[in-house]
Amino acid sequence: MTQSSRLAEHARSRPRVSPASRSDADVSALRVRLMALAIKLVWNRDDAEELVQEAFKIAAAGGPAVVEARYEPWMLRTVGNLCMNLRRRRKPEPIASWLELDANESPGDRLERAERLEGVRQALEQLPDQQRLAVVLRMMERADYSRIADVLNVSESAARTHVHLGRKRLMEALSDAAGSEKRGDVS
Amino acid sequence: MRDCCNEIRLLFDDRLDDVLDASSKERFEDHLLECTSCCEAFDRLRELSDDLATLGDVADRIAEPGAVSPPVARRWFMNPGRWRRGVAAAAIVVIGLSLTLSEMRRYEMTPAPVPTNPPSSGFAEKTPTGEPSFSIATPKDKLAVQCESSNPRIHIVWLYDEVRPADDSSDRLTDPDNHPPA
């Protein structure tokens, strides 16, 4: 028996997981994680719900065959791709309303912080898709590089490179924005 | 930038991820104490990392089952952009009203004057003979004279800049272009 046939036999013997065969609790927990990722990419709850539902439909319709361990990364990648491909989007949620209240922070400081975060969010949206997803998974979801590599379907070193380049572009974009704002104030 | 700075900047991501070994970490921290540029650059990266983590927490809050968007009034109050637009709109309305009021003061809404003693310049047969039946806005520096009209719905009003001398025989009432006498 060749190695490829052994691998194929091994894959066939592993249980195939579809939404119907998972427990309700597993599906609910997965749905929450998928919603969190979708909101980090599209920033609108209604859009995120639609995209997550679409991802489950694709999975139920018999998408690529996946084994149990890779099901969640596959779903995360599907949701990520659907978010990147979304063309018409509803208005993003206002960050200022969702920030946690800080007793030591004045209303002016809170508004300033909200504006700064809004600038970061907009700079994030300008990144290329792979870098954006890598940065979101690393910096916002706090995933490790092996997990990011599974989701992006790349090697771990490629995942590190995507995160590194994404951060670098964000820094440059935010520095440019800060510089042009200062020039605007001076003029 | 010095070579050591380039080498340290390559370690930024690893330092941020806290995966440097002890000796590299010590070398990194020592360099940041000496080099203001690298220190500022790393501070900016750390601030970006904190901001992204905060955005992640915000998104997790929005994603919680049963999460409800904050009330519209609070969102309006917290949105500085809407404050600026509101102030700009109010300023435009105030400026527009002041311009309109100043224009209205130039034009007084008065009835067209009816001369009781027609001038002796030959306009007598053309001047109106009755009370005016309507009002017009007349500029202050002009004289308005209403003339007879065969159609009661049509009112003819002539505006004059100055009073002509008595020997001027031109019939302005029939010569609206005010041609000089032949």
Side-chain angles (χ1 to χ4, degrees):
Chain A
M1 187 184 268
T2 62
Q3 188 181 13
S4 58
S5 58
R6 267 203 296 273
L7 283 171
E9 180 64 28
H10 177 70
R12 276 194 292 273
S13 66
R14 295 287 298 276
R16 303 229 170 193
V17 180
S18 67
S21 64
R22 283 182 169 249
S23 68
D24 288 345
D26 291 339
V27 173
S28 297
L30 179 60
R31 186 179 285 273
V32 171
R33 287 195 292 276
L34 294 174
M35 269 290 289
L37 176 64
I39 284 177
K40 288 171 180 102
L41 293 169
V42 299
W43 288 97
N44 182 280
R45 194 185 168 85
D46 295 331
D47 281 342
E49 279 176 352
E50 285 179 13
L51 292 170
V52 168
Q53 197 58 32
E54 185 68 28
F56 275 109
K57 277 185 196 171
I58 293 171
V66 290
V67 293
E68 187 173 352
R70 288 189 54 80
Y71 180 71
E72 188 168 327
W74 183 86
M75 287 295 287
L76 287 167
R77 184 166 64 250
T78 303
V79 166
N81 290 337
L82 288 171
C83 290
M84 302 299 178
N85 292 336
L86 183 65
R87 289 286 170 252
R88 270 188 309 173
R89 294 162 62 168
R90 296 183 182 95
K91 202 173 166 187
E93 294 281 344
I95 293 175
S97 310
W98 291 94
L99 280 176
E100 267 191 346
L101 290 171
D102 186 352
N104 299 326
E105 198 177 36
S106 67
D109 289 342
R110 184 182 164 88
L111 280 174
E112 204 178 298
R113 186 161 64 109
E115 279 192 6
R116 194 180 72 241
L117 290 173
E118 182 62 38
V120 171
R121 178 168 77 175
Q122 288 177 9
L124 193 55
E125 288 187 352
Q126 302 304 316
L127 290 181
D129 292 351
Q130 292 277 72
Q131 290 175 16
R132 184 171 157 201
L133 189 53
V135 168
V136 165
L137 288 169
R138 178 67 188 165
M139 313 291 289
M140 294 164 83
E141 296 260 312
R142 299 173 182 93
D144 55 25
Y145 286 107
S146 61
R147 174 70 154 192
I148 297 171
D150 283 342
V151 173
L152 295 180
N153 204 20
V154 297
S155 65
E156 200 170 310
S157 61
R160 285 179 186 274
T161 304
H162 284 311
V163 172
H164 169 71
L165 290 176
R167 276 181 191 155
K168 192 176 165 196
R169 278 203 189 207
L170 276 177
M171 294 283 293
E172 286 167 3
L174 293 170
S175 297
D176 289 345
S180 59
E181 204 176 291
K182 274 186 187 167
R183 280 194 295 274
D185 286 343
V186 168
S187 62
Chain B
M1 198 182 293
R2 296 178 294 174
D3 288 341
C4 56
C5 289
N6 287 329
E7 196 184 317
I8 292 296
R9 299 232 175 171
L10 290 174
L11 298 177
F12 270 14
D13 282 343
D14 289 340
R15 178 65 187 93
L16 200 65
D17 296 336
D18 203 17
V19 296
L20 286 179
D21 56 51
S23 64
S24 300
K25 193 171 170 179
E26 192 179 338
R27 190 161 55 91
F28 185 92
E29 300 293 345
D30 288 343
H31 179 82
L32 256 55
L33 286 172
E34 296 167 357
C35 180
T36 315
S37 166
C38 287
C39 183
E40 285 175 357
F42 187 68
D43 283 344
R44 283 197 300 273
L45 181 62
R46 198 155 36 191
E47 191 180 284
L48 171 64
S49 175
D50 291 342
D51 286 345
L52 287 168
T54 304
L55 282 175
D57 293 338
V58 168
D60 289 339
R61 234 173 275 135
I62 297 171
E64 279 170 10
V68 176
S69 291
V72 173
R74 186 176 169 210
R75 272 188 282 175
W76 173 84
F77 176 77
M78 295 297 288
N79 190 337
R82 290 200 182 189
W83 276 106
R84 286 194 280 268
R85 284 196 289 275
V87 167
I92 289 169
V93 167
V94 166
I95 290 168
L97 277 174
S98 346
L99 286 173
T100 306
L101 286 171
S102 67
E103 282 296 312
M104 282 173 65
R105 280 193 210 103
R106 281 186 59 205
Y107 292 88
E108 291 178 19
M109 298 298 290
T110 56
V114 179
T116 54
N117 298 319
S120 58
S121 59
F123 299 150
E125 66 274 18
K126 299 291 182 180
T127 55
T129 55
E131 291 292 324
S133 60
F134 74 100
S135 298
I136 60 168
T138 312
K140 283 183 183 172
D141 53 350
K142 298 210 183 284
L143 173 67
V145 178
Q146 185 180 4
C147 304
E148 265 186 33
S149 171
S150 58
N151 188 337
R153 291 187 197 173
I154 297 176
H155 302 282
I156 303 173
V157 176
W158 289 59
L159 297 176
Y160 296 98
D161 289 324
E162 59 187 33
V163 176
R164 288 297 179 105
D167 60 355
D168 186 1
S169 61
S170 68
D171 186 357
R172 285 196 204 88
L173 294 176
T174 56
D175 185 2
D177 294 330
N178 228 2
H179 288 134

